Amino acid sequence: MKPAVRVAITGAAGNIGYAAAFRVAAGNMLGSDQPIILQLIEIPPALDALKGVEMELRDCAFPLLHDVICTADINQGFGDVDYVLSIGSRPRSKGMERADLLSENGKIFGPQGKAINDNASKNVKVLVVGNPANTNALIACNNAPDLDPSQFTSMMRLDHNRAISQLATKTNSAVTEIKQIAVWGNHSLSQFPDISHCIINGKDATSLVNEAWYKNEFMPKVQKRGGEIINARGASSAASAASAAIDHMRDWALGSNDWVSMGIISKGDYGIAEGLMYSFPIICNNGNCEVVQGLTQNEFCIEMMKKTENELLEERDTIKNLL
Ligand code: NAD
Ligand code: LMR
């Protein structure tokens, strides 16, 4: 049997953390042969609830779950961890945009970045889910000087999965027939869901849907889906967000068969400002994330990619004291 790996989940008593912990422990993230030690992190007022999560995890008798550690001490919680799902933070409520969370949530991620830097495995892989996810991930990354920036990512997989689902419904296809979707930029209204290179069952997606549907229905639907769910549920997406986090980490660790969308630190690909946490189409291989290269882009794509880049530049400017 493989040695156990350590997975930290922050905000593990919250809605997404609660949904994610059981799937990680069941082997959905790292495979059915990978034993896991869960290191669950919460703030002190949520430690009683976290104890309940631990009891339920143990009651599942998951064969892969070797231990559960619960703590409010981030240095202990990130100790020797191989994977981090950084979820713990406030969600938005009706009428807010995700960037409105920056002043409250942003300050969580500097200390977390430092604690990961000082305590985690040197090969740790970090996924930031807490909103606004890209800029929070940027803050964490900038506070971890001993780690490589490529070890920090932000979650765009929910947007990516939403785009696949909408397109599958529209074209009456299976989700597995949809390949090469990309969601560029920020996890916000400015994100750019791009089907210009998408293939559905061997055919160009752009030949199967018309441009008016793409621009006036599909794009806004994907961009505004988080708000639509908040309006319907009275709470932000949770199970689908946890599922996207599992997909993101699984593909990063074990490899992706197709393009995936991930926020990564830009190295200047496609002219995007270096150092921004920006989502690109990515292929994961052997634990590495490579930006899909050489894509041709028309004027509309370039304009959309620039718009979401500009928003991320503004967000970065707002929190420059935290970097
Ligand atoms: P929630 O309120 O149900 O749970 C958040 C949990 O985090 C709570 O248990 C809280 O005690 C804990 N927490 C708060 N500050 C913490 C800290 N400093 N350290 C550790 N834990 C802390 O919220 P939720 O629905 O689970 O959402 C969590 C975050 O994920 C929100 O910011 C939300 O907007 C975001 N989100 C992101 C995406 C995405 O696609 N990137 C999708 C959905 C939600
Ligand atoms: C989502 O996209 O569902 C999350 O980011 C939650 C939100 O605030 O929309």
Side-chain angles (χ1 to χ4, degrees), residues 75-128:
N75 290 314
Q76 183 195 4
F78 291 129
D80 297 323
V81 290
D82 304 285
Y83 301 91
V84 174
L85 304 183
S86 178
I87 299 167
S89 52
R90 197 191 138 186
R92 67 175 164 148
S93 36
K94 279 186 194 179
M96 292 172 77
E97 287 307 330
R98 297 180 187 95
D100 298 335
L101 295 167
L102 200 47
S103 57
E104 197 171 323
N105 284 348
K107 52 184 184 249
I108 295 173
F109 292 87
Q112 278 197 10
K114 184 176 182 324
I116 291 168
N117 183 75
D118 294 349
N119 297 285
S121 149
K122 288 303 159 212
N123 297 317
V124 66
K125 288 178 164 46
V126 181
L127 166 63
V128 175

Side-chain angles (χ1 to χ4, degrees), residues 202-276:
K203 297 199 181 94
D204 288 344
T206 49
S207 69
L208 299 175
V209 298
N210 69 50
E211 196 178 334
W213 177 81
Y214 170 56
K215 289 186 177 167
N216 303 331
E217 294 186 47
F218 170 82
M219 281 183 53
K221 178 64 117 184
V222 177
Q223 289 163 331
K224 295 180 186 167
R225 186 63 156 189
E228 192 182 356
I229 288 169
I230 290 172
N231 287 336
R233 251 172 55 84
S236 77
S237 62
S240 58
S243 194
I246 303 279
D247 288 348
H248 175 117
M249 212 43 124
R250 184 198 57 233
D251 286 347
W252 189 3
L254 305 180
S256 63
N257 298 321
D258 183 20
W259 299 8
V260 291
S261 302
M262 297 168 72
I264 60 163
I265 292 287
S266 168
K267 293 183 179 157
D269 291 295
Y270 295 98
I272 301 304
E274 278 183 45
L276 269 195

